[in-house]
Amino acid sequence: MKVVVQRVSEASVTVDGQKTADIKKGLLVLVGIEDADTQEDIDWLAGKIIKMRIFGDENDVMNCSVQDIDGEIIVVSQFTLHASTKKGNRPSYIKASKPEFAIPMYENFVKALEKEFDKKVQTGIFGADMKVSLLNDGPVTILIDSKNRE
C-alpha cells in the first residue's frame, strides 16, 4: 500500500455536489492499493499513521500525533499512487488493484485506522469522481510505502 499523509488545517471531499467528508485540524490520507497488499500492510500503516508525530507541541516542535491533538482524519482512495511513468508520457496503472480486491482492502484500512484512533474516520467514496479540498498545514506531506519500511 502507498499512502500520502498530509497535515491539514481543514479538508473536505465532495461527490456530485455533496460533501462526504469535512474536517478541521488533522490528516488527509490518500491511499493506493495493489494486489500484493495484505492485512499486515494495513495494520502496520494504521499504527504508523496514528502514532506519527507531525503536529506541533507547545514549543511548535513536531512532537504530537493526530491523537495527541484530538484531530480528525479523512481517507481517500487514489489508485493513481501506483502510476508507473517509466515508459512514454501516459502513466500506466497496471499495479493498482481492481475494485474487487481494492474495495475490501480500503474498507479494512479505514476500520484499522478507526480501531487504532478510537474515533470515526471520514472518507470519500471509493471509485467516485471526488473533489478534494485541503489547506495543507506547514506544508507537511509524508509518503509511506508499506513495501519499503525504512
Side-chain angles (χ1 to χ4, degrees), residues 4-68:
V4 175
V5 179
Q6 297 180 326
R7 184 179 78 181
V8 298
S9 297
E10 60 186 59
S12 64
V13 179
T14 303
V15 178
D16 295 329
Q18 300 293 316
K19 276 194 181 174
T20 65
D22 191 14
I23 66 169
K24 295 299 178 200
K25 191 170 189 157
L27 299 175
L28 172 64
V29 180
L30 307 175
V31 59
I33 298 164
E34 65 178 327
D35 289 347
D37 292 330
T38 66
Q39 188 65 44
E40 181 185 336
D41 294 300
I42 289 171
D43 294 339
W44 181 81
L45 278 170
K48 181 66 80 176
I49 290 166
I50 298 303
K51 294 177 184 108
M52 192 176 305
R53 300 182 322 174
I54 59 174
F55 291 91
D57 62 14
E58 64 278 353
N59 298 314
D60 208 25
V61 175
M62 284 197 269
N63 253 339
C64 298
S65 70
V66 68
Q67 265 183 327
D68 296 333

Side-chain angles (χ1 to χ4, degrees), residues 62-108:
M62 284 197 269
N63 253 339
C64 298
S65 70
V66 68
Q67 265 183 327
D68 296 333
I69 63 141
D70 195 29
E72 300 175 280
I73 300 174
I74 294 178
V75 175
V76 174
S77 61
Q78 189 168 356
F79 73 94
T80 60
L81 291 178
H82 286 288
S84 172
T85 57
K86 194 173 185 178
K87 294 181 182 176
N89 295 317
R90 182 175 172 194
S92 168
Y93 304 107
I94 195 86
K95 283 190 79 174
S97 291
K98 301 287 185 259
E100 304 79 52
F101 180 79
I103 291 171
M105 292 294 284
Y106 171 79
E107 291 169 350
N108 287 343

Side-chain angles (χ1 to χ4, degrees), residues 124-142:
I125 297 175
F126 190 97
D129 180 16
M130 294 176 273
K131 307 303 179 204
V132 179
S133 176
L134 70 139
L135 183 56
N136 194 316
D137 181 17
V140 174
T141 302
I142 311 286

